[in-house]
Amino acid sequence: MDASESVRIDKWLWAVRLYKSRSLAAAACNAGHVKIGGNAVKPSRDVRANEEIAVFAGQIHRTVKVLALLDQRVGAKRVSQFLEDLTPQEEFARAREEARLRSPAGFGRPTKKQRRQLERFL
């Protein structure tokens, strides 16, 4: 863990597992998907403790508060020590509903039972 007072935002976003790679975190910053105080930030911007970060990741607008800094990736169980998730539950429910609507049931390869029913019908 880093004992310094600041860490690059792209490095921190990757370390707390909001993005799968540091290059994806940097690309999100360059695209304007990462905001601090309502302003889009560059990947080189330093993040400090107690800042609130708005992130658009995986079809979800997440809001997190920085509790501690780190520059190395940590396990998923330890992430809660470094950030506080302020994202409303409605946002997760909306994302689940959108995913459900995008991939309706019944499409794709038929099951064995469906195939037999289709053969009987024809």
Side-chain angles (χ1 to χ4, degrees):
M1 283 169 242
D2 194 14
S4 69
E5 296 178 14
S6 63
V7 176
R8 286 177 57 111
I9 185 90
D10 62 337
K11 201 171 199 181
W12 189 83
L13 291 170
W14 164 76
V16 295
R17 299 177 172 267
L18 289 176
Y19 290 98
K20 289 185 178 185
S21 69
R22 188 168 166 193
S23 61
L24 287 175
C29 291
N30 288 328
H33 296 304
V34 179
K35 297 180 181 183
I36 297 178
N39 299 322
V41 297
K42 293 183 178 181
S44 60
R45 189 207 190 269
D46 288 336
V47 64
R48 291 170 185 80
N50 296 320
E51 285 186 323
E52 285 190 18
I53 303 172
V55 177
F56 180 68
Q59 306 301 320
I60 297 176
H61 292 278
R62 297 185 69 178
T63 305
V64 296
K65 182 177 180 181
V66 179
L67 297 179
L69 301 176
L70 73 159
D71 60 357
Q72 292 182 342
R73 197 165 173 100
V74 294
K77 290 182 180 179
R78 296 190 55 212
V79 167
S80 61
Q81 298 172 356
F82 299 98
L83 69 84
E84 178 183 351
D85 196 353
L86 305 174
T87 308
Q89 291 299 320
E90 295 82 32
E91 183 68 24
F92 293 110
R94 182 194 58 77
R96 275 193 300 274
E97 184 64 21
E98 284 181 7
R100 188 185 65 77
L101 292 176
R102 276 195 307 268
S103 60
F107 288 103
R109 185 175 179 185
T111 63
K112 193 173 190 177
K113 182 178 180 181
Q114 292 170 339
R115 182 180 51 82
R116 287 181 177 163
Q117 288 173 345
L118 185 60
E119 286 173 358
R120 275 191 231 118
F121 178 73
L122 297 175

